[in-house]
Amino acid sequence: MFHYRFSGSSYLMDSPRSGNHTAVKGFTLLGLTDNLILQDILFMIILCIYLVTISGNLSTIILIRISSQLHHPMYFFLNHLAFVDMCLSTSVTPNMLINFLVERNTISYHGCGIQLGSATFFGAIECFMLAIMAYDRFVAICNPLLYSAKMSTQVCVQFLIVAYVGGFINASSFTISFYFLIFCGPNRVNHFFCDIAPLVELSCSDNHISTVVSSIVAGSIIVLTVFFIATSYIYILITILKMRSNEGRHKAFSTCTAHLTVVTLYLGTITFIYVMPKSNYSTDQNKVISVFYMMVIPMLNPIIYSLRNNEIKGALKRVLGKKIFS
């Protein structure tokens, strides 16, 4: 027989299989702050960020789909990057907004696992997508005559499959690590979503294996994608410096600056969270950086690509022009 009891804000259940431990029924998310006035301000700011993220990335997807000028590999990957950005932000933002409005910010045990899994799934896919887009720029600038062969539809789809498989492996490692943790309560997670670091701190079991496994998988993905991106851009830089035409150099640089900006922002922040030693920064810093890479960067990506890419600006003008004249 199981006996239910209430501990703090989390329901726990005595389980004969766990000895003196308890089976967790839910967690309390402490959020960004407990200041009520600041909560109202943050609710409006994050709501605006989320609406801009969804509208901006959705507009990018629609524009790429309806503009025949954008039907080539670079924009095929940008289309999927926009989709991943929307999903990454949606994995945590709606629940966070709801938590600003309720007195007790609770999430179920399995809901916490699903949130952790979805965030790490789409976060890893974004890393792979940025690496694939770097390779696309490498082929376009360094081997333009072979571009159509090396970046055929079949190759693009294969790259996309690799990205999603990599995301699944990353999400599986984090989710399995989560379910191996034992929580004794009160289960108050010092974060605005179920991230692995505060959950490990909360666990009362031997969490060494869980920490090592998730860190190795996430670290391997980051190192692999950073190496891939760095190698691609080293060859790109060498090729650009060999160009005799200033116009050619400027055009080559202009196709890379938007991608480099996104790479620096995204990989820089997740490296800080998942690779650097945890003793180097506080939980509050972790929260701020998590807001940046899970909410702010997905909002900025379509803006960066729109402002830095002449083809996207041209396609947008043509679409708007047709709408106005029609």
Side-chain angles (χ1 to χ4, degrees), residues 235-277:
Y235 281 104
I236 288 171
L237 182 61
I238 293 171
T239 303
I240 291 174
L241 292 176
K242 289 180 179 179
M243 292 179 180
R244 295 180 180 181
S245 169
N246 289 330
E247 184 180 349
R249 287 182 181 181
H250 177 73
K251 186 177 180 181
F253 272 122
S254 66
T255 62
C256 297
T257 49
H259 181 256
L260 273 175
T261 304
V262 172
V263 166
T264 304
L265 289 172
Y266 186 76
L267 289 178
T269 52
I270 65 170
T271 299
F272 192 88
I273 288 180
Y274 293 109
V275 177
M276 289 185 65

Side-chain angles (χ1 to χ4, degrees), residues 5 13-23 182-184 204-205:
R5 64 188 180 86
M13 181 173 64
D14 292 332
S15 171
R17 289 182 300 175
S18 57
N20 294 328
H21 298 301
T22 53
I182 297 174
F183 303 94
C184 303
C204 57
S205 61

Side-chain angles (χ1 to χ4, degrees), residues 151-169:
M151 298 303 295
S152 63
T153 302
Q154 183 179 1
V155 172
C156 290
V157 171
Q158 288 172 348
F159 274 134
L160 201 62
I161 291 171
V162 169
Y164 277 84
V165 170
F168 177 77
I169 293 172

Side-chain angles (χ1 to χ4, degrees), residues 131-245:
I132 293 166
M133 292 171 77
Y135 177 75
D136 173 75
R137 291 299 83 207
F138 158 73
V139 177
I141 293 171
C142 301
N143 298 289
L145 298 178
L146 299 175
Y147 184 76
S148 58
K150 287 192 172 184
M151 298 303 295
S152 63
T153 302
Q154 183 179 1
V155 172
C156 290
V157 171
Q158 288 172 348
F159 274 134
L160 201 62
I161 291 171
V162 169
Y164 277 84
V165 170
F168 177 77
I169 293 172
N170 187 59
S172 297
S173 69
F174 277 85
T175 307
I176 292 170
S177 296
F178 165 73
Y179 280 108
F180 269 100
L181 296 175
I182 297 174
F183 303 94
C184 303
N187 297 315
R188 297 165 61 86
V189 181
N190 190 15
H191 215 305
F192 62 85
F193 80 106
C194 289
D195 198 5
I196 192 67
L199 289 169
V200 167
E201 290 179 6
L202 201 63
S203 172
C204 57
S205 61
D206 182 9
N207 50 42
H208 178 71
I209 295 176
S210 297
T211 305
V212 169
V213 170
S214 57
S215 295
I216 287 175
V217 174
S220 298
I221 290 173
I222 293 170
V223 170
L224 180 65
T225 51
V226 168
F227 174 78
F228 205 79
I229 292 167
T231 303
S232 297
Y233 274 104
I234 288 170
Y235 281 104
I236 288 171
L237 182 61
I238 293 171
T239 303
I240 291 174
L241 292 176
K242 289 180 179 179
M243 292 179 180
R244 295 180 180 181
S245 169

Side-chain angles (χ1 to χ4, degrees), residues 61-82:
I61 293 171
I62 294 171
L63 182 64
I64 292 171
R65 291 288 177 89
I66 65 176
S67 301
S68 58
Q69 298 87 353
L70 303 180
H71 289 178
H72 52 89
M74 176 181 176
Y75 299 105
F76 171 80
F77 295 125
L78 182 56
N79 176 65
H80 285 277
L81 181 67

Side-chain angles (χ1 to χ4, degrees), residues 94-114:
N95 182 66
M96 183 182 182
L97 290 171
I98 292 171
N99 286 344
F100 279 127
L101 303 176
V102 297
E103 183 179 350
R104 183 171 293 161
N105 310 336
T106 58
I107 185 170
S108 68
Y109 177 69
H110 293 298
C112 189
I114 291 169

